[in-house]
Amino acid sequence: MIKYILNDKLVDQNKAMIHVSDLALLRGYGIFDFFRLIGLKPLFLEDHLNRFYNSARTLRLECPLDRDTLRSMILEMIKSNKIHDSGVRIVLTGGESPNGYYIGEPTLIVLNEPIKPLPESHFTEGIRLVSHQYLRDIPDVKTLNYLMGIYHLPDIQAAGALDLLFHWNGKISELTRSNFFIVDQNDRIVTAGKGVLKGINRKHVLQLAREEFEVEERDIFMNELPAAREAFLTGTTKKVTPIVQIDDIVIGDGRPGPVTQRLQQMYDEYIEQYLKRY
Amino acid sequence: MIKYILNDKLVDQNKAMIHVSDLALLRGYGIFDFFRLIGLKPLFLEDHLNRFYNSARTLRLECPLDRDTLRSMILEMIKSNKIHDSGVRIVLTGGESPNGYYIGEPTLIVLNEPIKPLPESHFTEGIRLVSHQYLRDIPDVKTLNYLMGIYHLPDIQAAGALDLLFHWNGKISELTRSNFFIVDQNDRIVTAGKGVLKGINRKHVLQLAREEFEVEERDIFMNELPAAREAFLTGTTKKVTPIVQIDDIVIGDGRPGPVTQRLQQMYDEYIEQYLKRY
């Protein structure tokens, strides 16, 4: 039987239940983080734990487990479940509220979920996006609020797109669950430096990019897209994914560009080295 | 033992649990409605059921119970629990998602919660608000997203205020859980006509107001506040509540005004009549 973590215990997956008075359910109040396993090795676990505890602090949620205990319970869960190439989702909720609105004692839940592999064409041919005017609430925190992304799924699917690209007053922020990059007319790799959730893969890809390219963290505007040479996204399961079209704007020549392809290659090598050191 | 409704069954309160894979918990995706009982009589139940099923439709959530069955189960729950002057919260979630993001089979939960009565001074002396730049997502739907309101509770409390007043580009929308009204310089009662959640008490108070006052549904701007003669809010538990200060702007002479007081009186009489007819 697959095990999940519920507060300070490993429990059978089908017994991982929370009470309906939890503030995450009644008011959408909580945070999470998500990382993947390669085989059974967790990728960038320490980065994800950093961000998880930071998100918790910003939302005034005290995790019932300290970092060392949480880490060792997660590793125990992974070892017990043996679900290769799966995902681990750490959720911290507002807890059972005394009045349906004030924060209670947070509930910690760690799920271990299979990940359906993306088709190879996702990485070799790239994907399309639909732009949408929206500002995420508390953008630097990984909150549970994905209302807009899920609400718009039918529009996204009707456009043959993978996701939404959020922008506000012409300024592009991010996708629903990924960071956004362009290669501009001066061959610089550009991504938003503020007002976005700072992805863990964003961080590692930026670090790799700086080895071979000029990199700039600055605001990106919708009106830069027609002249952008390339665009790509980074994310935990989507790694480095080429973006070939946004609404009716074809990016570059409509195929993954050389900078994106080089970063994909560097990323794969980097992960290989990471796993060797693990 | 207090009973709640879980899908199609009445269950003991402490057994009202949902699985951690529910989309309401993992992604904040779901809707709800909330009404109060006077004694054991539900106030404006049909209005709340209308809005509940409308919210569900907009978010593509199919309620496992049809309206007649849901109504009769709620009445059965109220009769069984006998919690006088309590609140009933109907929640419909995204359900257990097949992939952590797509909508599953919605879970229906109906809670019956005690309501702590507001102090008399709340209605006789009025309350203060703190303004905050924010646009609610999908404002005409009663979604589970209360992230901003709860996140800012410490600021609200530090200011001795009751709640946030949301505005965007100078335009005032609503509070976190109430509708906002002013009495303008021409003695008109004004409230936003769009871009807000249309409260059930808003509807009934507007209807009462039209009997004796001029009423206008239009945009209200932050720069109108200094000249406003009165301000008040409407809500399920807050009924008609005078607002005497917003940030450092004192409304009128800082005390509940005659129009607000007249509406409070009309509202109380209206409820009395409603209960007689019930």
Side-chain angles (χ1 to χ4, degrees), chain B residues 212-246:
Chain B
E212 297 190 7
F213 303 97
E214 268 192 82
V215 170
E216 205 176 351
E217 292 184 57
R218 64 153 171 91
D219 294 339
I220 305 175
F221 293 88
M222 283 296 284
N223 62 15
E224 289 183 74
L225 295 180
R229 296 206 166 137
E230 303 182 29
F232 62 92
L233 64 88
T234 60
T236 290
T237 58
K238 300 186 191 88
K239 306 171 195 178
V240 177
T241 295
I243 298 165
V244 295
Q245 192 173 334
I246 298 165

Side-chain angles (χ1 to χ4, degrees), chain B residues 124-128 183 225-231 242-246 248-261:
Chain B
T124 55
E125 291 168 24
I127 58 90
R128 278 181 276 189
V183 179
L225 295 180
R229 296 206 166 137
E230 303 182 29
I243 298 165
V244 295
Q245 192 173 334
I246 298 165
D248 53 3
I249 303 164
V250 173
I251 305 294
D253 64 358
R255 283 177 307 174
V259 176
T260 306
Q261 285 173 324

Side-chain angles (χ1 to χ4, degrees), chain B residues 1-31:
Chain B
M1 174 68 85
I2 305 294
K3 303 278 186 190
Y4 285 177
I5 298 169
L6 186 61
N7 292 319
D8 56 352
K9 289 190 182 59
L10 278 178
V11 299
D12 287 347
Q13 179 189 28
N14 62 1
K15 288 181 185 141
M17 311 281 283
I18 64 161
H19 193 260
V20 296
S21 299
D22 197 291
L23 213 58
L25 172 67
L26 297 187
R27 301 291 188 178
Y29 199 83
I31 58 110

Side-chain angles (χ1 to χ4, degrees), chain A residues 13 16-20 24-25 27-29 58 60 101-102 134 137 144-146 149-151 154 157 176-177, chain B residues 13 16-20 24-25 27-28 58 60 89 101-102 134 137 144-146 149-151 154 157 177:
Chain A
Q13 179 189 27
M17 312 280 284
I18 65 161
H19 193 260
V20 296
L25 173 67
R27 301 291 188 177
Y29 199 82
T58 306
R60 305 190 308 282
Y101 203 69
Y102 285 13
Y134 181 64
D137 303 340
L144 300 174
N145 179 18
Y146 285 78
I150 297 172
Y151 177 66
Q157 287 161 348
T176 67
R177 295 161 293 167
Chain B
Q13 179 189 28
M17 311 281 283
I18 64 161
H19 193 260
V20 296
L25 172 67
R27 301 291 188 178
T58 307
R60 306 190 306 282
R89 188 183 302 272
Y101 203 69
Y102 285 14
Y134 181 64
D137 303 339
L144 299 174
N145 179 17
Y146 285 77
I150 297 172
Y151 177 66
Q157 287 160 348
R177 294 161 292 167

